[in-house]
Amino acid sequence: MGFRYYITAFSGFDSSFRSPPLFSSHRCPAPPARNTRSNTGYQNASAPHNATSPMHPAMQHATQPYTQAPPPYQQLSPSLAAMSLQSTTPEALRVVNLLQERNLLPPTPIPAPTPCLQQDLQKINCHPEVFRSTLTSIPQTQSLLNKAKMPLGLLLHPFKDLSQLPVVTSSTIVRCRSCRTYINPFVSFLDQRRWKCNLCFRVNDVPEEFMYNPVSRSYGEPHKRPEVQNATIEFIAPSEYMLRPPQPAVYLFILDVSHNAVETGYLTVFCQSLLDNINALPGDSRTKVGFITFDSTIHFYNLQEGLSQPQMLIVSDIEDIFLPTPDSLLVNLNECKELVQDLLKSLPTLFEKTMETQSALGSALQAAYKLLLPTGGRMSIFQTQLPNLGVGTLQSREDPNQRAAAKDVQHLSPATDFYKKLALDCSGQQVAVDLFLLSSQYCDLASLGCISRYSAGSVYYYPSYHHQHTPAQVECFQKDLKRYLTRKIGFEAVMRIRCTKGLSIHTFHGNFFVRSTDLLSLPNVNPDAGFAVQMSIEENLDDMQVVSFQAALLYTSSKGERRIRVHTLCLPVVNSLSDIFAGADVQAITGLLACMAVDRSATASLSDARDAMTNAAIDSLTSYRQSVLTIQQPGLLAPACLRLFPLFILALLKQKAFRTGTSTRLDDRLFAMCQLKYQPLVYAMLMIHPALYRVDDLSDEGALNISERTVPQPRVLQLSVEKLSREAAFLMDAGTVMYLWIGRNCHPNFLTQVLGVPSYATYLLPELDTPESQRTRAFVGWLRDQRPFFPSLQVIRDESQLKPTFMQNMIEDRTESALSYYEFLLHLQQQISK
């Protein structure tokens, strides 16, 4: 048969904003200024989970291995047609008066809503952390969707680290002959020899090889094959999926060595991190590495086998760069490892006396691009200042006096198209560019970020980084680097998203280049990248009970295998507004709106983006009140499933990316926008709406037991100063950073038993042999383990300079420039009742 099946564990563009109907054109008038404290409760956004952490019970089913086959198509339709969403999800449509009801949510993470499908399909559907829709019930027509005034879109985490992933090797990958959809759990078998595509409905023949089931080792049961049992599966692709032999893993590091860079001390940390992790770089016997350093000149390093020590080659003509022999600059890591290690040990001292202040970043990038042209690969840039020499030169565009502008913010778009054009060239040659910014000065992330955005790269940002003055930043940089250097990577990748006939994709969000209407070019793909897609309904779905979406990611593994990872999501089709509202996924809607608002900020203005988000809440609640409610009542009414929508919209308006009237550095704002578009939903939601916990009274009651470690589970609190106490300590988890707030009169026992000192001027949690310390560290460690990046921990006391940062995350409270939650609700009610 030539077939092998096994389970394996893995560890470790150009998008335009198209305003959907819910983004109505009316502009909300300025809301009244009232100093009314919020009395309305809230619930934390979905806490992220990794492969080793326990999940909310509602989500656990999706991670279990599947053994049952889906029902035949002819049995599926009548059973779904008979289902009533309202009868199975009454809680979702329970009417909530947001102005009156307190404590809207339980004190635990919100599970993703479960699509109302037949049980067999429910159990086998794609996991919501990998693939989810803003609406878990798809409207039958575009006019019905327009009437609901909610966005239809998908949020994907396609290369997520998974604890169990079925991997199939076969000489025949079964796909629809018409639309090229991969066979999946939601196709229907007309008989043993024919299957019907769930996207275009073509009837296909079952190949002879597919008749054999490798799991049961039996013949004649194609519906029990792993491809038809798993909504997420990976294929090892045959040769026809390769345009060229699979490329090797190639890593090129471009390092700023100007005086400013040397002062930060980042070079020492980088070199030590790469030395520590050099054996863990993903790859095989063909893996290549290279190094370029730059200031006002470009420095190459000959690392060819046979040399006694690395040779430095300096090119001073940055206008027309002469490239030495590529084979001596990009070398086989296994063959030249000692020379590479020697270079890393010497680099930090090589430039320690430099007084060179200029930065020819653009020329260094051009040289790196030429070096990677033959192979493709990953380019990692470390930059500490504004490029000020040669091509790609940038000028400071930030006016510190305008940081707290009440309305619009300037310079959210790039100052030059140099970095975008170079990124597109890189993408065409299978090169992705990752950018590490370590600077206390303005770096114009709006311009520099394009090099990563259009080449499917990542952006890392460490403001005010200094090896002595910011120990928390140093720790964060070290942890991020380790993850970055050792995480799984896919090369020369493309991703295509298909959907059932009648549905169409019209806008993508994330870091990539759109090669065609449904194909994304991803020179590199990593397990920490998320994507979003806006959808529309082009043809009525009258005759359908369900629709399906499929994302197929074709990539080359670091071991040189061509692989295809396929995710398929199945959702029911409904024809009533109440069913649409009942299936609304408030977190997915918020995440998609955040991506749309980032693009609107750049293409139109920040005020337009803010108005559009506010209008999204107004329009959906207006539609619910006018078209779903049968009995009109006073107040601001929402279905229970959308009770958090206004709170999340207010949280977005107060988020660093979109806030106004508060002093915000331009690069800080742009980085927040990058994160909202790039991070998978579970991580982005913590940035939007942080989780607050009281931690001075942690106990073992209700704790989790993970790897012989007891992890306390404190309840999530409202983001309001009403919940703070001077006698207590609180931990705020804001996704990329955590704050430990110590009340002025916090019990001395907490200070000594947890922080180890009677005062609390510390950035780190010491490892103390006390029950209090063990509980606190276990809880913080558990939160950190649930995400791939490393959130720094910052201790805040009453007189701390970080206190305003902490308080700005108290979303429900009023500030000088922003409404309280209660005031925002009154504003929404006023607009809805017009």
Side-chain angles (χ1 to χ4, degrees):
M1 289 294 173
F3 182 93
R4 172 166 57 92
Y5 171 73
Y6 55 93
I7 300 288
T8 183
F10 290 106
S11 59
F13 93 43
D14 189 5
S15 66
S16 57
F17 184 102
R18 301 193 187 180
S19 178
L22 82 157
F23 270 51
S24 55
S25 59
H26 68 270
R27 172 101 21 120
C28 300
R34 292 185 46 153
N35 194 13
T36 309
R37 189 177 296 280
S38 166
N39 290 319
T40 310
Y42 88 106
Q43 167 63 19
N44 169 37
S46 174
H49 301 280
N50 68 0
T52 58
S53 61
M55 291 188 174
H56 191 284
M59 298 173 70
Q60 284 177 347
H61 73 274
T63 62
Q64 306 306 315
Y66 307 119
T67 56
Q68 284 186 274
Y73 185 80
Q74 57 267 38
Q75 295 176 14
L76 171 62
S77 298
S79 62
L80 273 173
M83 298 181 88
S84 165
L85 286 180
Q86 292 192 42
S87 64
T88 55
T89 56
E91 170 59 24
L93 290 175
R94 177 175 63 84
V95 180
V96 178
N97 186 341
L98 298 177
L99 291 170
Q100 292 181 351
E101 195 159 334
R102 292 177 60 110
N103 302 318
L104 290 172
L105 291 167
T108 53
I110 316 163
T114 305
C116 189
L117 291 169
Q118 187 174 358
Q119 187 59 38
D120 286 340
L121 292 185
Q122 193 86 282
K123 181 173 56 177
I124 217 166
N125 215 353
C126 200
H127 193 285
E129 284 193 9
V130 172
F131 206 170
R132 67 201 282 184
S133 171
T134 56
L135 303 177
T136 58
S137 298
I138 304 300
Q140 208 171 64
T141 65
Q142 181 65 40
S143 61
L144 193 60
L145 176 62
N146 294 345
K147 198 172 181 181
K149 299 294 179 78
M150 286 189 291
L152 176 59
L154 306 170
L155 289 99
L156 293 85
H157 189 176
F159 207 50
K160 176 180 169 65
D161 285 328
L162 299 171
S163 58
Q164 282 193 324
L165 177 66
V167 178
V168 175
T169 299
S170 175
S171 59
T172 303
I173 296 178
V174 180
R175 303 174 66 179
C176 175
R177 291 180 60 191
S178 178
C179 69
R180 307 302 292 156
T181 293
Y182 294 82
I183 197 167
N184 60 80
F186 311 108
V187 305
S188 52
F189 285 90
L190 305 183
D191 51 46
Q192 283 192 335
R193 295 288 179 177
R194 295 180 302 156
W195 64 278
K196 189 174 184 179
C197 177
N198 53 321
L199 267 64
C200 74
F201 313 119
R202 178 188 174 119
V203 175
N204 297 271
D205 294 332
V206 175
E208 187 66 30
E209 180 183 345
F210 204 76
M211 296 297 292
Y212 176 74
N213 183 359
V215 179
S216 63
R217 298 184 179 180
S218 59
Y219 187 83
E221 295 182 314
H223 63 282
K224 292 186 178 179
R225 287 270 302 215
E227 297 95 319
V228 191
Q229 289 290 316
N230 296 276
T232 289
I233 195 164
E234 186 150 293
F235 300 94
I236 297 178
S239 58
E240 58 261 32
Y241 287 83
M242 305 175 197
L243 293 176
R244 61 177 184 176
Q247 72 171 68
V250 180
Y251 306 109
L252 180 59
F253 299 96
I254 302 100
L255 306 163
D256 180 357
V257 291
S258 63
H259 176 72
N260 187 68
V262 172
E263 282 294 298
T264 68
Y266 94 85
L267 199 56
T268 301
V269 176
F270 164 78
C271 290
Q272 189 58 52
S273 293
L274 187 49
L275 277 169
D276 292 343
N277 295 289
I278 197 162
N279 293 322
L281 280 176
D284 56 16
S285 60
R286 305 178 303 153
T287 301
K288 293 185 176 185
V289 296
F291 299 86
I292 294 175
T293 57
F294 67 95
D295 41 36
S296 63
T297 56
I298 312 299
H299 323 125
F300 299 98
Y301 296 88
N302 184 349
L303 300 167
Q304 245 179 339
E305 190 180 12
L307 293 174
S308 59
Q309 62 183 27
Q311 292 180 346
M312 181 178 179
L313 310 169
I314 302 175
V315 176
S316 56
D317 181 3
I318 62 172
E319 297 300 324
D320 185 18
I321 291 184
F322 166 74
L323 198 64
T325 309
D327 288 345
S328 66
L329 307 182
L330 271 179
V331 296
N332 184 290
L333 178 59
N334 291 336
E335 296 171 0
C336 306
K337 188 175 292 183
E338 286 189 12
L339 280 175
V340 171
Q341 291 171 326
D342 288 345
L343 176 64
L344 291 171
K345 290 172 185 175
S346 62
L347 264 181
T349 57
L350 200 58
F351 298 94
E352 61 184 358
K353 306 289 188 187
T354 184
M355 297 307 293
E356 180 61 73
T357 59
Q358 292 182 304
S359 170
L361 172 64
S363 300
L365 288 173
Q366 287 180 329
Y369 168 66
K370 289 180 182 178
L371 196 53
L372 290 176
L373 262 177
T375 59
R378 184 176 77 186
M379 200 187 294
S380 308
I381 307 167
F382 295 80
Q383 172 76 358
T384 69
Q385 62 179 315
L386 205 62
N388 56 13
L389 186 67
V391 293
T393 295
L394 298 170
Q395 306 290 329
S396 179
R397 297 191 291 163
E398 182 178 47
D399 180 356
N401 296 322
Q402 295 298 313
R403 285 180 183 169
K407 198 136 181 105
D408 268 335
V409 175
Q410 303 299 314
H411 309 308
L412 296 177
S413 299
T416 172
D417 61 0
F418 170 80
Y419 295 98
K420 178 179 178 179
K421 284 183 175 179
L422 183 58
L424 296 179
D425 289 340
C426 286
S427 179
Q429 300 301 322
Q430 303 298 343
V431 175
V433 187
D434 297 325
L435 175 63
F436 289 77
L437 271 183
L438 309 99
S439 177
S440 58
Q441 309 163 359
Y442 171 68
C443 275
D444 198 352
L445 188 51
S447 299
L448 293 184
C450 291
I451 193 71
S452 298
R453 178 182 175 189
Y454 295 102
S455 68
S458 313
V459 176
Y460 296 82
Y461 177 54
Y462 307 91
S464 304
Y465 180 92
H466 193 275
H467 66 110
Q468 289 180 333
H469 303 154
T470 58
Q473 290 271 41
V474 173
E475 183 188 24
C476 191
F477 181 47
Q478 288 172 324
K479 301 283 187 180
D480 286 348
L481 259 182
K482 181 177 180 179
R483 168 71 179 173
Y484 174 75
L485 293 170
T486 61
R487 71 187 178 188
K488 180 181 170 72
I489 185 172
F491 296 98
E492 48 187 349
V494 290
M495 183 167 69
R496 192 183 298 272
I497 300 173
R498 298 178 172 91
C499 47
T500 294
K501 185 180 178 182
L503 296 166
S504 68
I505 298 165
H506 68 75
T507 308
F508 294 92
H509 302 278
N511 288 3
F512 43 72
F513 172 64
V514 182
R515 189 178 292 178
S516 66
T517 53
D518 61 350
L519 188 70
L520 306 184
S521 173
L522 306 167
N524 290 179
V525 62
N526 71 74
D528 305 334
F531 303 87
V533 182
Q534 288 171 246
M535 309 285 300
S536 58
I537 304 170
E538 288 197 333
E539 300 174 18
N540 292 353
L541 310 174
D542 295 338
D543 300 327
M544 302 179 202
Q545 303 300 326
V546 295
V547 292
S548 297
F549 307 89
Q550 188 175 86
L553 178 69
L554 173 65
Y555 71 97
T556 300
S557 76
S558 57
K559 304 292 186 186
E561 287 183 319
R562 202 68 173 139
R563 290 182 169 230
I564 312 157
R565 188 173 296 192
V566 179
H567 308 284
T568 311
L569 175 68
C570 179
L571 297 174
V573 175
V574 297
N575 59 9
S576 76
L577 275 175
S578 59
D579 288 349
I580 296 171
F581 275 92
D585 183 339
V586 69
Q587 294 173 93
I589 291 171
T590 304
L592 181 61
L593 289 177
C595 291
M596 294 163 69
V598 168
D599 284 348
R600 173 71 73 90
S601 298
T603 58
S605 68
L606 189 69
S607 59
D608 278 358
R610 287 172 56 86
D611 286 347
M613 288 188 288
T614 304
N615 290 338
I618 293 169
D619 291 345
S620 59
L621 294 183
T622 300
S623 173
Y624 171 74
R625 186 180 189 104
Q626 294 177 350
S627 304
V628 178
L629 280 180
T630 53
I631 302 174
Q632 293 301 317
Q633 308 169 34
L636 181 59
L637 307 179
C641 59
L642 287 182
R643 62 194 181 277
L644 285 183
F645 194 29
L647 179 63
F648 287 165
I649 293 295
L650 180 64
L652 276 173
L653 295 174
K654 293 187 175 186
Q655 218 273 341
K656 193 178 292 183
F658 304 113
R659 69 190 183 195
T660 56
T662 300
S663 183
T664 305
R665 287 172 33 155
L666 198 51
D667 284 338
D668 291 354
R669 186 186 297 277
L670 264 300
F671 182 59
M673 289 182 173
C674 288
Q675 288 178 301
L676 287 175
K677 279 193 65 172
Y678 179 77
Q679 284 197 351
L681 181 64
V682 288
Y683 312 135
M685 282 307 301
L686 278 173
M687 286 180 54
I688 295 169
H689 190 274
L692 181 67
Y693 309 92
R694 180 169 177 171
V695 293
D696 64 300
D697 59 354
L698 294 177
S699 70
D700 294 341
E701 184 179 348
L704 301 174
N705 290 305
I706 304 171
S707 303
E708 300 181 357
R709 185 176 60 162
T710 301
V711 181
Q713 295 292 291
R715 61 182 292 126
V716 179
L717 304 173
Q718 291 171 231
L719 291 176
S720 170
V721 292
E722 287 182 347
K723 298 301 178 182
L724 300 181
S725 166
R726 290 185 175 182
E727 287 73 39
F730 297 84
L731 181 76
M732 178 183 286
D733 181 1
T736 55
V737 62
M738 294 181 182
Y739 302 103
L740 182 58
W741 187 86
I742 312 292
R744 185 187 296 261
N745 302 324
C746 185
H747 198 286
N749 184 62
F750 179 80
L751 303 181
T752 55
Q753 301 298 306
V754 175
L755 297 180
V757 287
S759 63
Y760 35 91
T762 180
Y763 288 97
L764 306 174
L765 285 177
E767 293 190 23
L768 305 178
D769 191 20
T770 65
E772 294 85 353
S773 171
Q774 290 170 357
R775 288 192 191 101
T776 306
R777 285 185 290 110
F779 181 57
V780 171
W782 177 71
L783 291 175
R784 280 176 166 160
D785 289 346
Q786 292 175 16
R787 66 208 69 170
F789 50 86
F790 182 82
S792 60
L793 178 68
Q794 301 183 357
V795 179
I796 297 178
R797 47 188 174 182
D798 269 355
E799 61 272 28
S800 171
Q801 291 181 339
L802 288 170
K803 185 177 179 181
T805 305
F806 179 84
M807 291 302 176
Q808 280 174 350
N809 282 316
M810 290 300 187
I811 291 161
E812 299 198 15
D813 296 331
R814 189 177 193 274
T815 65
E816 289 183 9
S817 58
L819 301 178
S820 71
Y821 177 48
Y822 188 74
E823 290 170 336
F824 185 63
L825 294 177
L826 291 174
H827 173 57
L828 296 183
Q829 183 187 36
Q830 180 187 31
Q831 297 300 312
I832 291 170
S833 60
K834 276 186 175 179

